[in-house]
Amino acid sequence: MFHRKVATFAASALALGLLAGSAFAATTVNFTVAEYSSKTGPFYKEVAADFEKANPDIKINIEVVPWDSLLQRLTTDIAGGTPPDISIIGTRWLLDFASQGVAEPIDSYLTPEFKGAFIDTFMKPGIIKGKTMGLPVAASARAMVINTDLYEKAGVKPPKTWEELYQASQKIAKLPDTFGFGLQGKEIETDAYFYYALWTYGGDILRADGKSGLDSPEALAAVSLYKKMIDEGLTQPSPTNYSREDVFNLFKQGKVGTIFTFPMLIPQIKAEAPNLHYAVLPFPVEKTEATYGVTDTLMLFSSSKVKKAAWKFIEFTYQDKYRKQFDLGEGFLPVTKNIAALDYFKTDKDIAGFAAGLPYAKFAPVIANWEEIADTTVRALQQIYLGQVSPADGLKAAAKKINEIRGL
Amino acid sequence: MLKKSILFWLILSPLVVVILFPFGVMFVSAFRPREELFTYPPTWTFSEFRWANFAEMWVKTNFGQALLNSLYVSVLSTLLAMILSIPAAYALSRYRFPGKRAYRTFLLMTQMMSPIVLVLGLFRMMVALGLVNTLNSLVLTYAAFNMAFTIWMLQSYFSTIPRDLEEAAWIDGAGHLTSLLKVFLPLAVPAMAVTAIFGFINSWNEFVLALTMIRSSDGFTLPVQIYSQVAGRYQIEWHHVMAATMLATLPVAIVFSWLQRFLIRGMALGAVK
Amino acid sequence: MTSSTSLKPLAMILPGLALAILIIGYPIYDLGYASLHEVSRFGQLRDFNGFNNFRDVFEDPLFYGSLIRTLIWTFAVVGGTLALSLPIAMMLNEEFYGRGLARVIIMLPWSISLTMTAVVWRWALNGRAGLFNATLMDLGILKEPIEWLGEANQAFTVEILIGILVSIPFTTTIFLGGLSALPQDTYEAAAVDGATRWKQFRHITLPLMKPFINIAVVLNVIYVFNSLPIIWVMTEGGPANGTDILVTYLYKLAFRFGQLGKASAISLIMFGVLLIFTIIYVLLVMRGEAGAEAEE
């Protein structure tokens, strides 16, 4: 009896194996990959193929999702009961995932050796209430990029303070058909463009007591400077119609003196505007140095039934050769020590310019409802830029709303 | 006639210009070399026809696969909607039955729910049915969302086909089914063709559901594939986006123009009324 | 006999009805259920919370702003579309040189998905890299590029105009169908009686076209009210929520902020608004038709 059962089982398993070919493999790991560029998908598929060759019993199923719909995709996946086993997520969402029990703490999987491969700064945002909820997978820091030709033409030096930036922009804006300062005012990361100033003015997104820092004098000073530059025609007209991409395009056209950006812009400039001369510099400083560090996280789902296999794959992807290919290909800053030690990140002065800010990088606070708070900030900024409210009133109202959202 | 033609074209010309404008933009952006995309001021002219843009785009955006997916979903959902709609529309136009008014109201109400409003519930249901990440989930939903409109259209066309013809055939000894096949159907074909075009275009262009139901990029339909080239990217390759949009639009535009005579004939059928 | 005649039509509508109830009915039920519960960030239903979600909606100033803009958006797009489509359909119904071409062109916007149309327009309207400004400047109409989407009212106007443009083909098709069904002899008789074109239009065309106008109004209102892609792709409801309509606000609430309970409540409210509109409209139209029949 028993034997017969086994035999039937074996036969049917064999039949299944014959039918499905490689699906004979016992486990399938579903991995949702955020699409940074057209290289992302092919890169991870290549890694997965290598992995499957080394581990024929595990199959990696990769789903590439555009960034803009990633959160929606994961939301519907989780709601529908079909979450993946691993996903790349924005670190700013991690708290929501962790507090809802969606993310699996990974401390028990992390060997000291593997943990030691990461740069501590980037591990920190993934630690919630003492538990490591994810691994940094991509990192970037922001910096100021100037068009050195325009600066030369206007006869001004690269700015070190906001006052110098203001004066330089005045001179550059006087050049024909040119703008001094490219200001983003539309869609994703409009708030980040303001945080750069907020932080270097000595302010912060949240105060020490957890309340919004938008109604602080530092925030007011920072936004007032932006508003003054808009009003005096030092920025491009109608910043509220310029998304991140639009501001960068303006820069590639050589029409704007200064912008704030991320490392991924550099390969674009080289490809699309090879004759443009530029320099990557730290943000202007009023009180302190600061930059915006952004990380994305590789998260393991608590609902996964194949955590071991998934973790094996995760470790596999962090091999130096893959990390190097990924970071260099996408233009990210390294999250692991070995890659950071590569000459490239020191000798390439563009990348070095961005990496320079890492020691004093600030991260978006890991708090619940971050997207809604960011949206509230963006709305206030747009109202101020458009002149619908005064800077003081706009910030005060936004701070009040954010405190409400935070339940404070 | 000539005077009238000139006058009409003059009146229509602003609209024609505005309609053709985005096609022009698409065309010149798709063909120009990438480095000429951001010249200021932008120009309509460009240095060369960069056919390579299309070849690059085809590979980079996995266009062929998306095209097949779109075709599969649109054709099947249209077929399904038609198969279910034709008898329903016939029943509405030829019979009295209890609950007819309630049925009509239900049809109108199904029109009122936009997919976006229902997306979460739909998704949960497709998971339960094991259809998530399959193109068939789209076939079913598109057919359901299109049906209200196709039934409506077909019914109004069917009502214009005189019942006497069928009854005459009936009296001549043909069975009901035969009279249906021999007399009614041939008259109704143009109307069905027109209605099918409506359904096909709706499915071809649907966005929100496709974005939600299809998880892996291999299953993306054209609108989602093109949107994914624009949304949240660190860099938008506008020449590829425009090339893809052009290719996605061309087949429908051609089919559309080609089926115009059906459209017109189908409309003229109303004249029998 | 009676039972067979009443069963047959029921059997004919049943398969379609079953599909519609499954695909559209079930999610509505699901939505109603979710709207009365606390829903987690990821759509897992938690405790029953009565009408809290609805209260949240009604205490939200952004909801009212979006509601008002939705009404403006719907009214403006549908009104504009109807006003333009009727004369266009009447022209396309007449014989003239190149009519086939004209029909193809007017119908063209229909063949592109709204998403793609919006993507192309966003690119074309780009202040400095877009060809729209460049063309107007070449023609000497503009001196400086205009940032069409930089300010809410202007952006909303542009979006309404594009909304009209993409709604014209569908509406024109309905009207063309109606016009070709009009009896020619009535016009001939009227012409013999010396009725002017305007009088013919006012007293023959318009009344006979009424059922087609009605259906165009109802369907357009439903489509436009629920239409997301144009506004979403071009401005995402910004700047400062100045172009948010209910669907864009709903989308943000559900998929950005993860407030699925509140989003379900808004979905139901939208459904309610449309339902009331349709009922009122159907009642008015029916009463009008009944009145017209009585006059005859």
Side-chain angles (χ1 to χ4, degrees):
Chain A
M1 183 68 193
F2 175 70
H3 286 281
R4 224 162 78 202
K5 241 185 190 169
V6 170
T8 339
F9 175 71
S12 55
L14 191 69
L16 270 178
L18 287 174
L19 278 174
S22 67
F24 189 41
T27 30
T28 301
V29 175
N30 290 308
F31 180 20
T32 301
V33 171
E35 189 171 35
Y36 295 103
S37 74
S38 43
K39 291 176 193 155
T40 321
F43 165 75
Y44 271 108
K45 279 178 187 156
E46 199 185 312
V47 179
D50 289 355
F51 179 78
E52 285 169 357
K53 226 176 271 164
N55 301 277
D57 55 330
I58 303 173
K59 193 180 173 319
I60 307 293
N61 179 25
I62 291 189
E63 290 183 357
V64 183
V65 180
W67 252 114
D68 236 35
S69 44
L70 180 62
L71 186 56
Q72 179 205 341
R73 169 67 55 86
L74 291 172
T75 304
T76 40
D77 269 343
I78 296 163
T82 55
D85 300 301
I86 326 168
S87 177
I88 293 178
I89 62 161
T91 306
R92 57 191 180 280
W93 308 330
L94 188 60
L95 185 79
D96 282 342
F97 284 98
S99 64
Q100 304 276 352
V102 175
E104 173 81 4
I106 53 169
D107 295 288
S108 58
Y109 299 92
L110 268 176
T111 61
E113 188 198 353
F114 186 45
K115 196 175 178 181
F118 290 92
I119 299 170
D120 283 344
T121 326
F122 293 125
M123 277 300 260
K124 258 183 219 151
I127 298 174
I128 292 167
K129 290 185 185 151
K131 285 184 187 160
T132 315
M133 305 306 288
L135 294 171
V137 67
S140 77
R142 308 300 164 82
M144 174 170 76
V145 176
I146 63 167
N147 181 324
T148 46
D149 291 340
L150 289 179
Y151 269 77
E152 243 165 61
K153 235 189 256 173
V156 280
K157 273 193 293 187
K160 290 212 166 59
T161 65
W162 285 98
E163 180 59 26
E164 283 175 21
L165 174 68
Y166 171 68
Q167 284 170 4
S169 300
Q170 272 182 325
K171 295 225 171 83
I172 293 168
K174 286 208 183 90
L175 299 172
D177 203 30
T178 310
F179 311 114
F181 176 56
L183 176 61
Q184 181 195 340
K186 184 176 178 179
E187 294 173 2
I188 187 168
E189 289 209 338
T190 295
D191 51 331
Y193 225 88
F194 161 71
Y195 299 148
Y196 307 141
L198 174 69
W199 280 323
T200 46
Y201 265 86
D204 209 338
I205 299 172
L206 297 181
R207 297 161 187 267
D209 61 1
K211 285 191 176 171
S212 169
L214 287 189
D215 51 359
S216 64
E218 291 86 5
L220 183 61
V223 86
S224 301
L225 178 75
Y226 278 5
K227 179 66 177 152
K228 185 163 82 168
M229 299 206 341
I230 297 173
D231 292 344
E232 294 178 10
L234 308 187
T235 69
Q236 81 280 16
S238 295
T240 45
N241 194 28
Y242 281 79
S243 68
R244 181 165 76 180
E245 208 238 341
D246 295 324
V247 173
F248 298 168
N249 285 338
L250 214 54
F251 188 77
K252 289 182 220 161
Q253 289 180 336
K255 296 296 176 195
V256 63
T258 312
I259 57 162
F260 301 151
T261 186
F262 43 51
M264 290 74 85
L265 183 67
I266 302 299
Q268 294 180 33
I269 295 177
K270 282 182 178 152
E272 288 170 47
N275 299 322
L276 189 80
H277 295 102
Y278 61 90
V280 181
L281 302 168
F283 286 108
V285 171
E286 184 70 27
K287 276 198 188 122
T288 60
E289 292 179 303
T291 182
Y292 187 15
V294 178
T295 63
D296 294 327
T297 294
L298 197 62
M299 191 184 88
L300 185 61
F301 282 76
S302 57
S303 57
S304 169
K305 294 196 174 66
V306 291
K307 294 198 186 83
K308 260 197 191 143
W311 185 259
K312 205 168 178 187
F313 177 65
I314 291 177
E315 280 193 341
F316 189 85
T317 63
Y318 277 98
Q319 290 173 55
D320 287 347
K321 62 172 174 180
Y322 296 133
R323 288 311 302 177
K324 185 180 167 193
Q325 190 187 343
F326 180 73
D327 288 338
L328 266 55
E330 303 283 359
F332 286 128
L333 296 178
V335 294
T336 51
K337 288 172 186 157
N338 285 346
I339 305 300
L342 290 177
D343 268 353
Y344 171 78
F345 291 100
K346 299 194 180 96
T347 50
D348 186 296
K349 70 178 188 315
D350 298 334
I351 288 297
F354 284 102
L358 287 179
Y360 48 78
K362 300 234 184 200
F363 294 88
V366 181
I367 49 177
N369 302 319
W370 168 250
E371 289 291 325
E372 201 180 351
I373 291 168
D375 189 71
T376 308
T377 312
V378 170
R379 188 184 325 131
L381 290 173
Q382 289 176 331
Q383 284 170 336
I384 293 168
Y385 295 165
L386 286 168
Q388 291 172 349
V389 293
S390 73
D393 293 347
L395 289 175
K396 220 178 277 169
K400 188 167 162 262
K401 178 86 209 267
I402 289 171
N403 291 337
E404 268 171 39
I405 297 171
R406 303 251 308 128
L408 295 169
Chain B
M1 182 79 164
L2 185 66
K3 231 169 143 189
K4 187 162 114 185
S5 301
I6 295 172
L7 179 69
F8 276 14
W9 274 103
L10 270 180
I11 299 173
L12 289 175
S13 60
L15 187 68
V16 168
V17 169
V18 182
I19 288 173
L20 293 181
F21 176 77
F23 286 88
V25 171
M26 227 188 279
F27 183 81
V28 300
S29 309
F31 278 109
R32 70 179 56 200
R34 179 182 179 177
E35 52 278 13
E36 287 173 34
L37 274 175
F38 289 104
T39 46
Y40 181 81
T43 54
W44 283 95
T45 53
F46 44 96
S47 61
E48 57 162 321
F49 275 89
R50 191 62 72 82
W51 289 95
N53 283 351
F54 283 82
E56 278 170 38
M57 178 281 293
W58 188 279
V59 177
K60 260 194 167 171
T61 62
N62 198 8
F63 190 89
Q65 182 68 47
L67 184 69
L68 284 180
N69 294 337
S70 271
L71 276 176
Y72 176 88
V73 168
S74 309
V75 169
L76 279 191
S77 67
T78 307
L79 273 181
L80 180 61
M82 292 304 286
I83 290 170
L84 296 175
S85 302
I86 289 170
Y90 188 81
L92 274 178
S93 75
R94 288 290 190 268
Y95 297 102
R96 283 168 190 276
F97 56 90
K100 190 169 171 178
R101 264 185 88 146
Y103 180 57
R104 269 182 214 264
T105 318
F106 175 78
L107 285 181
L108 190 62
M109 272 174 62
T110 60
Q111 285 275 295
M112 271 183 260
M113 280 316 234
S114 122
I116 194 178
V117 172
L118 295 181
V119 115
L120 211 70
L122 273 171
F123 181 78
R124 265 201 281 255
M125 188 175 76
M126 287 302 166
V127 171
L129 295 176
L131 284 175
V132 144
N133 200 16
T134 62
L135 291 172
N136 289 334
S137 65
L138 295 184
V139 171
L140 281 181
T141 31
Y142 290 177
F145 276 102
N146 274 336
M147 239 168 28
F149 186 70
T150 47
I151 292 178
W152 202 309
M153 287 278 290
L154 286 173
Q155 177 231 326
S156 65
Y157 281 122
F158 288 176
S159 308
T160 64
I161 299 176
R163 193 188 287 229
D164 328 353
L165 289 177
E166 273 166 80
E167 281 166 4
W170 213 343
I171 292 161
D172 287 348
H176 197 160
L177 195 69
T178 334
S179 78
L180 201 67
L181 289 177
K182 286 219 168 129
V183 180
F184 180 79
L185 267 184
L187 282 173
V189 160
M192 291 178 193
V194 175
T195 312
I197 304 174
F198 280 102
F200 183 88
I201 294 171
N202 282 344
S203 308
W204 183 263
N205 292 338
E206 202 284 333
F207 172 66
V208 178
L209 285 173
L211 184 69
T212 314
M213 297 293 177
I214 303 298
R215 335 297 293 157
S216 58
S217 48
D218 294 341
F220 282 175
T221 56
L222 282 171
V224 180
Q225 187 67 295
I226 287 170
Y227 175 74
S228 77
Q229 303 301 312
V230 178
R233 285 293 188 91
Y234 285 136
Q235 178 187 15
I236 303 176
E237 315 252 9
W238 280 108
H239 55 308
H240 288 163
V241 173
M242 291 298 144
T245 311
M246 223 179 108
L247 276 193
T249 311
L250 270 182
V252 184
I254 290 170
V255 169
F256 207 94
S257 315
W258 175 54
L259 288 175
Q260 260 242 320
R261 58 203 178 93
F262 275 110
L263 199 73
I264 295 165
R265 216 199 291 165
M267 296 295 173
L269 215 114
V272 187
K273 201 176 194 174
Chain C
M1 182 68 194
T2 36
S3 71
S4 83
T5 44
S6 69
L7 274 184
K8 206 194 284 172
L10 285 180
M12 290 170 99
I13 63 167
L14 203 64
L17 189 64
L19 183 69
I21 288 179
L22 176 72
I23 301 281
I24 295 162
Y26 176 79
I28 295 178
Y29 157 78
D30 189 86
L31 221 54
Y33 192 75
S35 72
L36 297 178
H37 286 73
E38 195 191 327
V39 187
S40 86
R41 179 76 187 71
F42 301 106
Q44 286 130 339
L45 293 180
R46 296 279 154 88
D47 301 332
F48 177 80
N49 68 353
F51 291 95
N52 280 357
N53 289 324
F54 288 91
R55 205 189 55 214
D56 278 356
V57 170
F58 288 120
E59 280 174 355
D60 183 354
L62 290 177
F63 168 75
Y64 292 103
S66 308
L67 179 65
I68 290 168
R69 268 186 300 274
T70 308
L71 298 180
I72 297 173
W73 159 257
T74 311
F75 187 77
V77 173
V78 176
T81 306
L82 291 177
L84 285 175
S85 297
L86 192 55
I88 290 170
M90 288 173 69
M91 277 190 265
L92 292 183
N93 193 44
E94 306 238 343
E95 291 283 338
F96 66 97
Y97 292 121
R99 179 176 76 164
L101 181 67
R103 282 192 182 191
V104 171
I105 294 174
I106 304 280
M107 297 298 158
L108 265 186
W110 203 353
S111 64
I112 327 186
S113 83
L114 284 185
T115 315
M116 294 187 218
T117 309
V119 166
V120 175
W121 272 106
R122 178 174 171 154
W123 169 235
L125 286 171
N126 189 305
R128 297 178 63 84
L131 278 165
F132 191 74
N133 277 334
T135 309
L136 291 185
M137 281 158 76
D138 285 348
L139 294 175
I141 298 170
L142 279 186
K143 281 217 175 66
E144 281 286 304
I146 293 183
E147 297 291 349
W148 296 98
L149 307 176
E151 188 269 323
N153 288 336
Q154 193 171 300
F156 201 46
T157 312
V158 170
E159 284 161 351
I160 286 174
L161 291 176
I162 293 175
I164 292 175
L165 193 68
V166 298
S167 307
I168 284 178
F170 171 69
T171 318
T172 305
T173 311
I174 293 186
F175 288 169
L176 267 176
L179 284 171
S180 62
L182 295 186
Q184 284 307 307
D185 40 346
T186 324
Y187 284 95
E188 281 153 23
V192 172
D193 289 349
T196 60
R197 287 215 150 223
W198 170 248
K199 272 191 177 158
Q200 287 182 22
F201 174 76
R202 183 76 190 72
H203 295 292
I204 305 175
T205 314
L206 220 47
L208 286 172
M209 284 295 286
K210 218 171 158 197
F212 295 91
I213 296 177
N214 285 337
I215 186 83
V217 169
V218 173
L219 290 178
N220 269 313
V221 164
I222 292 170
Y223 293 153
V224 172
F225 187 88
N226 285 326
S227 177
L228 171 89
I230 295 175
I231 293 181
W232 188 254
V233 171
M234 292 178 73
T235 56
E236 287 191 1
N241 295 71
T243 58
D244 252 334
I245 60 171
L246 285 177
V247 270
T248 58
Y249 187 52
L250 170 79
Y251 191 84
K252 273 188 230 178
L253 274 180
F255 296 121
R256 288 236 168 121
F257 309 156
Q259 299 183 3
L260 297 167
K262 193 172 164 187
S264 305
I266 291 190
S267 302
L268 286 182
I269 294 168
M270 288 177 63
F271 183 56
V273 170
L274 274 182
L275 196 64
I276 293 169
F277 160 81
T278 320
I279 290 172
I280 293 175
Y281 196 82
V282 167
L283 282 181
L284 282 180
V285 167
M286 279 184 177
R287 203 199 271 160
E289 275 175 2
E293 272 163 30
E295 272 169 41
E296 285 164 12

